Amino acid sequence: MVDSPAFNSAVIDWQGAHGLPQFEQVGDGDYAPAFEAALKEHDAEIDAIADNPQPATFENTIVALEIAGDALSRVSALFWNRAGAHTNPGIQALEREIAPKMSRHYSKIGMNAALFARIDDLWTRRAELDLTVEQTRVLERHWKGFVKAGAKLPKAEQERLAAINERLASLGANFGQNVLADESSWILPLSGEDDLAGIPAFLRDAMASAAAAHGGGHSHVVTLSRSIIEPFLTFSERRDLRETAFKAWTSRGINGGETDNRRIVKETLALRAEKAGLLGYKDFASFKLDNTMAKTPDAVNGLLMQVWEKAVSQARAEEAELAALIADEGKNHEVAPWDWRHYAEKLRAKKFDFSEAELKPYLQLEKIIEACFDVAGRIFGIRAVPLANVVGYHPDVRVFEIRDRNDALVALFLGDYFARPSKRSGAWMSSFQSQHRLPLKNGRQGELPIIYNVCNFAKPEPGKPALLSLDDARTLFHEFGHAAHGMLSNVTYPSVSGTGVSRDFVELPSQLYEHWLTVPEILKTYAVHYQTGEPMPQALLDKVLAARTFNAGFNTVEFTSSALVDMAFHTRGSVEDPMAVQAEVLEKIGMPSSIVMRHATPHFQHVFSGDGYSAGYYSYMWSEVLDADAFAAFEETGNPFDPEMATKLKTHIYASGGSVDPEDAYKAFRGKMPSPEAMLKKKGLAA
């Protein structure tokens, strides 16, 4: 590490259990000097590779690049975890500074002519280098990465591209911070039984806990945390309060003032279009889809519209049923977006004779975590061992060893499950370090994966269990599917480790894992009542399984409309008024007025808080085509834990990372690529 007298080595030198960071030894003031030192070291490493007088080899160029920047990766992993899961004004200020600085740093590397010359030489001679499949994939990833970073552009265009990337990094950081500011600052106080009409006990407890977290000035509050706002919209009998809460939820990022994201979206789209043009692409969607399974915007829109037509037809039939319920209550209003969840819950209770409130006592967070680990044991042969005395990055964080059947340590896993004002919304998986087998400068022979999941479940009052909705439980399984993808990785090179796969393949392991939540054997074992310990009655279990496709039209319309708007933005290029484009797209496709996009443009963090899912939100559905077919492979055997299929799944999907082409990986598991039919059937949208 480059010398820095003010540098706290604990940021880089992780001496906790099994190489875990010692979070308690890192203060907010330690990040800036650590970044400074790590950036300098990475610069020196890059210069050494680029200026190597020896002819380029895979070892002295590609392998050297793979292990360069280890210190920077470590400080970045700690900092971005802090920025997302437990932020504060000081961290946010540093985030706004660091995001463009990192962009400048990587732009400089991507435009290093001497370095690209070495990579380009290897790429040109790849057929004669006797590379393995994984090595070829790694070389291709580096070569294409440099080309997309502008390595082949003239100097002036390189400089413009670097400026665009730097500005986009700043805009993405500001976008996410604005959404968090709108979310964390808004509450709806409730007082008295009239305000709480229809609210079940579990939600009252969660809202009381939220009130305490927001200063304790009220007995109960509604917040914009999904684990509170969605059940409130479901159960509250107060239509006026539902409307107030819904409008606040859907207005994040569009409230005027400093946190309004509309200008950020406009500038972001213009810069992305310019970037794509500089790099020779028709539009930003074509740029992002290059090197994915979908490959072209036409392929994406073709799938989305095929599903849309079925989904909107189903949603209109669902809306008619909800309108009939409203009329039965003697009311004459239409189905508004703040009515849908409320009356859908009543319709589900009527059709299937159970409600979310009846189900929730059987879905304890602790038991669903156990279920998640049990499934991993049955399919992958791993088990979780709690490390009770190990400190995480927040008191709510739990730390586990992940061991295989031979008791060998294969990963560390951290679970951070509860919502708090300092955490951005949603749920995600990330890593402190990824698995690989390359020797590092400090003597480490490869690295153990250290993976974490972040969720936003409502935290219960002290002494009470956290109870989940079925959607919450699916979210936990989904994120653990991502975690398993990272923890089971078995590759040599870091850049293709774990989730280092194409965007429209990365959701396959997570969405597939959700299927095992509703395997009857799992629900019978872990869906037990939090007071009596009795398992969910068979009759209720049967109703839950029968209702799996209930409200499918609504759910699919919510998602697909968001994906279509994302694609429209990124195939049009620069737009004068993004909100007008959103409205135009929704009108063209016939968006029902009773449903809104799952993520409206001003708070569409997947797309605008960074560019991870820009022109890529469709990938959840693309992966859903794969996951429905993949689970059907188990169903065809008659055993959801079939050992032969489980071995294939672990080997070809979860362990291979990006070391093989995703289509080849899927075919090795399943023998063929799927059609959308299994996915449509799973959703209840098949004819």
Side-chain angles (χ1 to χ4, degrees), residues 338-365:
W338 48 90
D339 295 319
W340 192 294
R341 287 172 176 80
H342 183 69
Y343 285 98
E345 180 61 21
K346 291 184 175 183
L347 182 62
R348 177 169 58 179
K350 180 180 178 181
K351 276 190 168 186
F352 299 99
D353 194 26
F354 82 94
S355 70
E356 185 74 31
E358 183 182 357
L359 178 62
K360 202 154 187 173
Y362 292 96
L363 298 176
Q364 302 171 64
L365 172 62

Side-chain angles (χ1 to χ4, degrees), residues 12-40:
I12 303 298
D13 186 16
W14 297 350
Q15 296 293 326
H18 306 303
L20 192 72
Q22 291 176 288
F23 301 102
E24 72 280 10
Q25 294 186 11
V26 179
D28 289 355
D30 292 329
Y31 291 111
F35 268 115
E36 181 181 356
L39 285 164
K40 287 179 180 177

Side-chain angles (χ1 to χ4, degrees), residues 263-283:
R263 63 166 186 81
I264 291 179
V265 171
K266 179 181 176 180
E267 186 178 355
T268 297
L269 292 172
L271 291 173
R272 286 175 176 171
E274 184 182 356
K275 175 178 178 175
L278 283 172
L279 292 168
Y281 291 89
K282 177 183 177 183
D283 48 52

Side-chain angles (χ1 to χ4, degrees), residues 314-337:
Q314 179 66 29
R316 294 198 183 282
E318 293 166 1
E319 182 180 2
E321 291 185 289
L322 302 186
L325 279 184
I326 293 171
D328 288 346
E329 291 184 353
K331 299 171 183 174
N332 61 5
H333 61 79
E334 294 182 346
V335 182

Side-chain angles (χ1 to χ4, degrees), residues 111 153-160:
M111 297 170 189
L153 295 178
K155 185 67 174 177
E157 292 182 3
Q158 284 187 341
E159 291 174 354
R160 177 56 187 157

Side-chain angles (χ1 to χ4, degrees), residues 81 85 393 416-417 423 426-429 452-456 479:
N81 164 263
Y393 57 83
D416 181 3
Y417 298 110
K423 181 192 287 187
W428 64 95
M429 164 269 184
Y452 63 90
N453 278 168
V454 182
C455 298
N456 269 283
E479 297 307 333

